[in-house]
Amino acid sequence: MGIVLARIDDRLIHGQVMTSWLNYTGANRIIIVDEETANDTFLKMIVTSVAPANIRTEVFDIEGGAEILSNLGESDKVIVLVKSPSCYVELLKRGVALEKVNIGGMGAKEGRSKFYKNISASEEEKGWLKELIDNGVNVSIQIIAEDKSIDVSKLVS
């Protein structure tokens, strides 16, 4: 199967991901790719402990994430979680095949402006989203699986 959901979310794992997306995708594994979390034992423990016990949850830096995602098994149904679109640009450059990227949560913070409803992005982040789209990745905003998907290519052109 491989990657069943590639999602950008500042919060990584939280209630909406656990309930809506796990049920919708049938995922059996969560892979978080985030340099900060991968290099912080306490953060890593927190994010892996909030996932359901029956879902294998792992945290990698970019290099480790690219390696593991390029070598998934046939039975793997993986949700990939990152905090920034730059991570997916880097994974793409390292050979990870991405068809779709879902934006679930990019909140307001310094340097970001409102992008779509409650989604915010900096000019640099918009550039990374455009780079993903230019490389054939379908990028959409969809907070939970039941929501209508919004095509980001119409927002960054």
Side-chain angles (χ1 to χ4, degrees):
M1 279 299 291
I3 298 171
V4 294
L5 177 68
R7 181 174 170 93
I8 301 167
D9 197 319
D10 293 339
R11 300 166 292 175
L12 297 173
I13 294 180
H14 56 91
Q16 289 174 327
V17 170
M18 293 300 95
T19 55
S20 175
W21 289 109
L22 282 170
N23 290 336
Y24 181 77
T25 62
N28 58 16
R29 190 173 178 188
I30 296 171
I31 294 177
I32 295 168
V33 182
D34 182 65
E35 296 289 328
E36 178 188 8
T37 307
N39 292 307
D40 184 320
T41 308
F42 182 70
L43 272 178
K44 192 188 299 190
M45 181 195 67
I46 289 175
V47 297
T48 56
S49 69
V50 296
N54 63 328
I55 304 294
R56 184 174 166 194
T57 305
E58 302 159 286
V59 181
F60 297 97
D61 60 12
I62 294 279
E63 186 176 327
E67 184 176 330
I68 203 84
L69 292 169
S70 295
N71 295 294
L72 294 173
E74 283 186 31
S75 63
D76 286 323
K77 294 181 187 175
V78 178
I79 292 178
V80 182
L81 300 172
V82 305
K83 290 182 180 178
S84 168
S86 64
C87 188
Y88 284 126
V89 169
E90 191 58 38
L91 289 171
L92 206 60
K93 288 178 182 175
R94 292 174 185 239
V96 175
L98 294 169
E99 292 178 25
K100 298 179 183 177
V101 167
N102 163 273
I103 300 173
M106 291 175 64
K109 69 178 187 182
E110 189 176 339
R112 284 184 176 171
S113 59
K114 187 174 177 179
F115 180 57
Y116 179 84
K117 293 190 177 181
N118 62 339
I119 304 293
S120 297
S122 68
E123 289 305 312
E124 187 175 37
E125 289 168 326
K126 289 177 192 173
W128 290 322
L129 293 171
K130 186 166 181 356
E131 187 172 343
L132 288 170
I133 292 163
D134 290 347
N135 279 284
V137 179
N138 177 338
V139 180
S140 63
I141 297 170
Q142 191 172 6
I143 307 305
I144 58 173
E146 296 78 14
D147 288 347
K148 182 179 177 236
S149 177
I150 305 301
D151 184 357
V152 171
S153 68
K154 296 179 169 109
L155 304 174
V156 294
S157 52

